[in-house]
Amino acid sequence: MSNRIPEEVIEEIRSKADIVDVVGEYVQLTKRGRNWFGLCPFHGESTPSFSVTADKQIFHCFGCGAGGNAITFLMDIENINFQEALAKLGERSGIEVDVQSSEGKGAAQTRNDDPLILMHEFAADMYHHILLNTEEGQAALDYLENRGFTQEIIEKYRIGWALPEWNYMEVALRRKGYDDEQLEASGLAIKREKSDGWFDRFRGRIMFPIMNENGKAIAFSGRVLEQSKQEAKYMNSPESPIFQKSQVLYNVHLARGAIRKNRKIILFEGFMDVIAAGKAGIDNALATMGTSLTSQHIRQMKRFAQEVVVCFDGDDAGWEAAKRAAVPLEEANFKVGIAVLPNGMDPDDYVRQNGADAFREHIIEKPQTFIAFAMMHARRHKNFQYENDLLQYIQEVLQLLAGKSSPVERDLYIKQLSAETKLSEEAILQQYRRLETRSIERSRPKAAESVQAAPRREQKKITSLHRAERLLFAHALADPAVMDKLAREVETIPFISEEYQALYVQLLGFYEEWEKADFHKFLETLTDQELRKLVMETALAERDPDHPEEEIEDCLKHLNKHRIEQQINLKIQQSKEAEKQHDLKRALLLAQEVIALRKSL
């Protein structure tokens, strides 16, 4: 793989890529002693077992066994190949790597020189130029300035103006060399149905580019200046190979630094809310692109933050959407708060009416807890004079508390329920305990499954066979002379398990090409994640530096003994089968072979 990229380029990228910085973009790391620790991104856990060692430039999870260096981390976390991981690291250091992207990786893995991204970047620059520098864009610029958009805000979010002409963008893109297939895939132009030719998707609209994590335009949302009955207020790009709404969070490229400072995200319902928050000096704001919060969104947010404050519109639809977003965030172990806007307002309304300081101090910095908001949500549109409304309210709140709250929270909210409903705390507590018992019973099968699943991972590590193979391979990985000796003096592959046999063959080929030991370089040649885990485990194994030959000899003896024992067991089984078939001559011969093998032990 690596020979397609000059070795000196690989070495330069590897030397400039600090693994703490690379992993820190995906995992929240805390320094303890010389190492950094966090929750493993490759398996679910609540106690950090994921370690990053800066001086060795490696990572290792003691829970699932994942491990490697900065390049293999990107390969695993982004599901990309070696060249693409190298290109991503190279981009961080200003080193260009010319590689071909793998197909079907999705928007998150698309390279920034993808033709579709280049088309959107060209369009974004043109729209932005027209808004700021032409007479045709003056009306749109005046509108934005009257709405409180400063020059700084317009430039920060690369806001632009699409001319109200039919196909000026299509013509401009064709002049850049793009063809029909690329125009259609980009969504920037649409083919006419009843005649030849194309027309621009966006015409006569204020253009808001949607950026990927690297700050490159991948889509647009266009807003009309004056809405008519014939056209929608907003028009958005269709989904494309570079833009899937379920994976995109608006403003990540600008907010990432601010989020990392305090590990907190302010999550809004739409990109205009993020821009309104930006006017108010809130820099850690993100938004979904017109979809409910997805598992992909939550996974992205996990890379940066521990806390999420949800700030959606203050109308009924906004409250419902806020609850739908808060529930999966709570289940993903975020600290969740909900900033409640009054009187059906959206963030821009509130900022324009009350000012930026009030928005920050009274709304964003004073969110409701998840349970407090859920109680407010459950209480809305209910009349406690009606028994059904009263019982439904109590049931909804207690279901939220059951199995998810601390004793202090439970007592606090039961007291509040009692005060609101005029029912006794004892009666509410009895109902709570019934719900909690059901919650525990429902969760038991899952707990049993997790208890049964955990030991399987450890069984493989404690066998003497595995220890011998690991130690022998550790010596071979550290010294090509050991590998040369094994290849010359051992008649067969010295390893028993299929995994180590595969690694042995891979390492033979590696030394034929490179001739000297290089753990990082060998790791990068492996495409199989499970084999990379084994190599990491091997690299961390302790070898005896004073007596390597004796240690190697002991490992070979142990493996040879295991191989002979396997042969004995096989021949005993074959002998029994021969006896069943009344082939006494073969049974006797096999029995003699078993005796000879036992003597050789």
Side-chain angles (χ1 to χ4, degrees), residues 275-555:
I275 295 174
K279 294 178 193 175
I282 297 168
D283 298 324
N284 56 336
L286 301 179
T288 55
M289 292 305 304
T291 67
S292 297
L293 204 63
T294 67
S295 59
Q296 293 99 315
H297 292 143
I298 291 174
R299 184 178 176 186
Q300 283 187 68
M301 293 161 71
K302 272 281 188 185
R303 289 161 42 189
F304 311 123
Q306 298 169 317
E307 181 178 356
V308 178
V309 174
V310 179
C311 183
F312 287 5
D313 292 355
D315 57 12
D316 284 350
W319 277 60
E320 291 296 333
K323 186 179 179 184
R324 284 198 305 272
V327 169
L329 288 169
E330 181 82 5
E331 290 173 349
N333 296 318
F334 280 102
K335 179 183 177 184
V336 181
I338 293 87
V340 179
L341 286 161
N343 306 322
M345 286 184 168
D346 64 27
D348 191 47
D349 293 333
Y350 191 94
V351 171
R352 288 165 64 83
Q353 185 171 319
N354 300 284
D357 291 343
F359 183 63
R360 283 195 313 274
E361 295 169 10
H362 301 313
I363 303 298
I364 299 301
E365 294 176 6
K366 293 183 179 177
Q368 300 287 331
T369 66
F370 172 69
I371 292 178
F373 171 77
M375 291 179 71
M376 292 169 61
H377 182 276
R379 197 163 52 238
R380 298 179 89 221
H381 310 308
K382 285 187 173 65
N383 186 340
F384 287 174
Q385 292 181 352
Y386 297 108
E387 183 179 330
N388 282 344
D389 280 7
L390 185 67
L391 294 176
Q392 184 181 351
Y393 172 62
I394 293 171
Q395 186 76 359
E396 286 179 23
V397 174
L398 292 183
Q399 282 176 336
L400 280 170
L401 290 174
K404 299 176 185 176
S405 59
S406 68
V408 173
E409 287 176 317
R410 179 199 66 194
D411 287 354
L412 174 67
Y413 290 116
I414 284 177
K415 285 181 185 296
Q416 187 174 327
L417 277 174
S418 176
E420 288 175 342
T421 62
K422 311 303 182 190
L423 296 174
S424 70
E425 291 181 30
E426 291 76 13
I428 296 172
L429 183 59
Q430 284 182 17
Q431 178 66 7
Y432 167 82
R433 284 175 175 157
R434 279 195 288 271
L435 288 171
E436 187 176 44
T437 300
R438 289 180 203 160
S439 174
I440 292 170
E441 287 174 351
R442 280 196 301 269
S443 66
R444 270 179 188 158
K446 293 181 181 178
E449 287 170 15
S450 63
V451 168
Q452 291 171 1
R456 285 193 209 121
R457 199 164 51 223
E458 302 299 326
Q459 287 175 351
K460 189 176 180 181
K461 297 182 180 180
I462 60 173
T463 65
S464 59
L465 170 65
H466 186 77
R467 282 197 295 268
E469 288 188 305
R470 181 179 61 193
L471 190 53
L472 180 60
F473 194 78
H475 281 286
L477 188 62
D479 186 356
V482 173
M483 196 66 171
D484 185 55
K485 179 181 178 181
L486 293 177
R488 281 188 290 102
E489 299 181 7
V490 182
E491 293 181 2
T492 60
I493 294 178
F495 296 95
I496 306 296
S497 66
E498 291 182 2
E499 296 90 346
Y500 275 107
Q501 286 180 355
L503 285 175
Y504 176 80
V505 173
Q506 294 260 27
L507 191 58
L508 271 177
F510 178 82
Y511 281 142
E512 285 178 6
E513 183 177 358
W514 298 107
E515 297 182 350
K516 62 180 181 179
D518 190 325
F519 150 66
H520 286 280
K521 198 175 289 183
F522 176 66
L523 198 67
E524 292 157 8
T525 67
L526 302 173
T527 57
D528 189 294
Q529 291 184 26
E530 294 303 314
L531 291 184
R532 285 207 293 270
K533 287 181 183 180
L534 266 185
V535 171
M536 273 304 301
E537 183 185 316
T538 300
L540 296 170
E542 292 187 9
R543 292 173 286 116
D544 186 343
D546 299 323
H547 305 92
E549 293 182 3
E550 292 91 330
E551 200 165 57
I552 292 168
E553 195 61 35
D554 286 344
C555 290

Side-chain angles (χ1 to χ4, degrees), residues 575-587:
S575 178
K576 289 179 180 178
E577 291 296 327
E579 287 178 3
K580 287 180 183 178
Q581 295 171 10
H582 305 289
D583 188 349
L584 299 181
K585 184 176 180 181
R586 175 169 167 74

Side-chain angles (χ1 to χ4, degrees), residues 112-151:
N112 290 328
D113 61 353
D114 183 297
L116 296 183
I117 287 184
L118 295 177
M119 293 170 77
H120 280 81
E121 278 288 292
F122 173 78
D125 288 342
M126 182 177 282
Y127 293 141
H128 190 59
H129 173 80
I130 291 170
L131 176 69
L132 292 179
N133 301 295
T134 69
E135 290 183 9
E136 291 90 340
Q138 191 61 49
L141 186 60
D142 292 341
Y143 171 86
L144 288 168
E145 289 175 346
N146 289 335
R147 295 279 298 182
F149 285 77
T150 64
Q151 180 90 4

